[in-house]
């Protein structure tokens, strides 16, 4: 990071390390090189910074979108239409129509009413929509409740036992082509055994569908691979080799079957930091507060998920260490980045970096309190 340049920048802002992004993408490419039937789609919702998207598209990844806006973003950044998939429980008519016009690869369908509407809208345009059904495999991802999605009682997807009737219904609709099954069990998954469990469920489901004479061309195993938030420098690139090895070993693939992955966080989290300036150091009675110019409006993860980010003092990394609560200026008591956090003692004007903020950081920023949205630098 070129901190002398940062000194002239308006804070807060996001900083993206594009070299690390390239290395991360190369690591994924290397880990899947021996599996030509593996296709990785980037989940746009993690980060859509222009430079970041451009590099991911140039790397030949597909795009996993959850809104018409994201489909537009992917399209504008050079992702091929037939590499775009569209997920989400509440696809609006205009979003479905736009996706049909572009000729995207697949709709990941999450309910039967949605299937009927896609069929109807496709019929109106004389097109056939390719669909995959999102199934809840009932696998516990052992992650935060707000980011667990693969359990049965969940707004996402269809229950396991509804798979066969859904596929039958799809086969009876003239403007629908069934091309696969989709699973996404959660986010920030660090227990890789959850993926092993997912593979077992998929194998069982596949066998039972085969008995009914059904072949599933594409298996989409979702995303969710976690990153190391506590020690980003020791694990700047997630262990993609171990992650993909599980699927290579456990998934019982059929001839001609392809496997899709939808990674978001693990691709972009470590390459981004939120850079903020210290406004005040306030001496409380039992605590000391570092008040910074970034708030939950710039990085909501701590307030929303109780997550933690490593905080570096870029201006005085060698200052004596002490314990602080690091807080933002927003009028909400949840606007706290860290409590009792030991760091090099900051002073007014110091630049701090909130690390591992590339995923679900800038894209989740809001203007609450009439604040300006943070900008970004990518280099
Ligand atoms: C959010 C999401 C992803 C990406 O999740 P990460 O944890 O960022 O890898 C993939 N697929 C679907 C359907 C999602 O909703």
């Amino acid at each position: 990071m070129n901190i002398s340049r940062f000194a002239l920048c308006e804070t807060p802002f996001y900083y993206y390390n594009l070299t690390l992004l390239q290395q991360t993408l190369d690591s994924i490419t290397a880990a899947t090189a021996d599996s030509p039937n593996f296709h990785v789609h980037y989940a746009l919702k993690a980060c859509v910074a222009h430079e970041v998207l451009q590099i991911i598209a140039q790397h030949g990844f597909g795009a996993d979108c959850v809104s018409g806006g994201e489909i537009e973003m992917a399209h504008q950044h050079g992702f091929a239409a037939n590499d775009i998939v569209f997920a989400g429980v509440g696809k609006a008519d205009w979003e479905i129509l736009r996706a049909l016009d572009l000729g995207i690869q697949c709709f990941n369908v999450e309910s039967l009413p949605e299937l009927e509407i896609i069929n109807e809208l496709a019929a109106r345009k004389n097109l056939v929509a390719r669909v995959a059904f999102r199934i809840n495999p009932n696998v516990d991802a052992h992650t935060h409740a707000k980011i667990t999605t693969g359990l049965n009682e969940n707004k996402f997807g269809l229950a396991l036992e509804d798979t066969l009737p859904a596929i039958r219904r799809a086969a009876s609709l003239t403007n629908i082509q069934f091309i696969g099954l989709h699973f996404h069990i959660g986010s920030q998954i660090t227990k890789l055994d959850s993926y092993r469990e997912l593979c077992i469920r998929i194998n069982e489901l596949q066998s039972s569908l085969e008995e009914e004479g059904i072949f599933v061309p594409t298996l989409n195993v979702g995303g969710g691979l976690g990153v190391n938030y506590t020690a980003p420098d020791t694990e700047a690139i997630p262990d993609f080799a171990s992650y993909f090895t599980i699927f290579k070993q456990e998934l019982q693939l059929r001839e001609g079957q392809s496997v899709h992955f939808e990674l978001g966080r693990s691709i972009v989290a470590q390459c981004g930091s939120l850079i903020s300036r210290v406004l005040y150091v306030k001496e409380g009675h039992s605590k000391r507060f570092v008040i910074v110019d970034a708030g939950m409006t710039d990085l909501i993860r701590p307030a929303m998920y109780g997550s933690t980010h490593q905080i570096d003092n870029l201006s005085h990394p060698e200052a004596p260490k002490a314990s602080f609560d690091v807080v933002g200026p927003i009028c909400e008591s949840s606007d706290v980045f860290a409590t009792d956090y030991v760091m090099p003692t900051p002073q007014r004007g110091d630049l701090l970096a909130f690390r591992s903020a590339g995923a679900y950081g800038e894209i989740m920023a809001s203007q609450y309190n009439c604040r300006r949205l943070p900008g970004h630098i990518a280099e």
Side-chain angles (χ1 to χ4, degrees):
M1 293 186 198
N2 182 351
I3 166 152
S4 55
R5 187 147 84 79
F6 286 1
L8 304 170
C9 295
E10 289 245 11
T11 48
F13 63 90
Y14 276 85
Y15 168 79
Y16 297 105
N17 177 344
L18 298 181
T19 308
L20 178 57
L21 176 63
Q22 291 276 9
Q23 290 165 347
T24 305
L25 295 168
D26 289 343
S27 159
I28 294 173
T29 304
T32 53
D34 61 354
S35 306
N37 54 337
F38 281 20
H39 301 282
V40 179
H41 290 227
Y42 169 61
L44 264 80
K45 74 179 192 282
C47 176
V48 296
H50 169 69
E51 300 84 345
V52 168
L53 270 191
Q54 213 164 28
I55 288 177
I56 297 173
Q58 280 161 6
H59 245 81
F61 284 48
D64 169 39
C65 300
V66 293
S67 74
E70 284 189 359
I71 291 173
E72 225 49 77
M73 268 288 184
H75 180 57
Q76 284 163 12
H77 282 82
F79 289 91
N82 62 3
D83 277 334
I84 296 176
V85 302
F86 183 16
V89 294
K91 300 178 185 74
D93 292 19
W94 72 267
E95 294 176 307
I96 295 170
L97 289 167
R98 181 69 181 129
L100 285 169
D101 281 339
L102 282 175
I104 65 161
Q105 182 181 29
C106 180
F107 291 86
N108 289 339
V109 171
E110 311 223 8
S111 69
L112 288 179
E114 180 195 330
L115 180 71
E116 304 292 334
I117 294 301
I118 293 175
N119 180 57
E120 206 176 297
L121 296 177
R124 211 187 285 171
K125 288 181 174 283
N126 232 338
L127 294 169
V128 172
R130 288 171 292 276
V131 307
F133 287 108
R134 177 167 178 173
I135 309 298
N136 282 322
N138 214 10
V139 169
D140 190 349
H142 301 284
T143 181
H144 193 279
K146 284 192 182 150
I147 48 179
T148 292
T149 56
L151 293 172
N152 254 345
E153 48 284 309
N154 206 299
K155 76 168 179 176
F156 300 103
L158 304 171
L160 209 46
E161 60 270 26
D162 297 336
T163 311
L164 184 57
I167 295 173
R168 291 238 159 98
R169 181 67 191 147
S172 75
L173 296 171
T174 47
N175 297 79
I176 295 287
Q177 182 192 359
F178 167 75
I179 65 155
L181 295 177
H182 172 223
F183 308 85
H184 175 69
I185 56 175
S187 200
Q188 184 52 19
I189 295 169
T190 50
K191 287 196 173 68
L192 290 184
D193 274 343
S194 302
Y195 289 115
R196 217 174 285 282
E197 212 180 310
L198 171 63
C199 290
I200 293 168
R201 289 303 150 80
I202 294 175
N203 292 340
E204 288 166 359
L205 179 59
Q206 173 144 261
S207 301
S208 72
L209 290 174
E210 247 166 8
E211 284 168 22
E212 303 291 334
I214 291 164
F215 170 68
V216 182
T218 303
L219 297 174
N220 181 337
V221 297
L225 179 62
V227 301
N228 190 336
Y229 281 102
T230 43
D233 291 318
T234 62
E235 210 181 327
I237 298 177
D239 185 0
F240 292 112
S242 300
Y243 168 75
F244 286 110
T245 296
I246 290 180
F247 296 96
K248 290 178 201 173
Q249 287 177 345
E250 303 290 337
L251 266 190
Q252 291 160 3
L253 295 181
R254 307 301 190 259
E255 185 74 29
Q257 206 164 38
S258 57
V259 185
H260 286 197
F261 299 84
E262 302 170 332
L263 297 172
R265 186 191 311 269
S266 53
I267 295 179
V268 292
Q270 300 294 32
C271 79
S273 296
L274 172 63
I275 311 296
S276 174
R277 208 174 247 111
V278 175
L279 294 174
Y280 307 104
V281 179
K282 173 173 152 181
E283 303 285 338
H285 289 282
S286 58
K287 275 178 177 291
R288 289 206 280 174
F289 296 93
V290 176
I291 302 167
V292 298
D293 63 3
M296 62 190 284
T297 50
D298 306 294
L299 177 61
I300 204 174
R301 298 190 64 257
M304 188 149 134
Y305 308 119
S307 62
T308 53
H309 290 260
Q310 179 175 306
I311 307 170
D312 294 346
N313 183 341
L314 301 179
S315 305
H316 293 99
E318 309 294 339
K321 288 191 171 177
S323 172
F324 300 91
D325 282 12
V326 181
V327 303
I330 311 299
C331 299
E332 293 287 336
S333 25
S334 55
D335 186 29
V336 174
F337 289 109
T339 47
D340 301 320
Y341 190 80
V342 176
M343 64 184 297
T345 301
Q347 57 193 56
R348 177 174 165 83
D350 278 2
L351 290 173
L352 305 187
F354 294 87
R355 303 288 307 281
S356 319
Y360 308 107
E362 183 180 7
I363 189 64
M364 282 189 162
S366 79
Q367 293 187 300
Y368 180 45
N369 283 193
C370 288
R371 284 169 60 85
R372 258 192 320 224
L373 290 172
H376 70 248
I377 295 177
E379 59 187 16

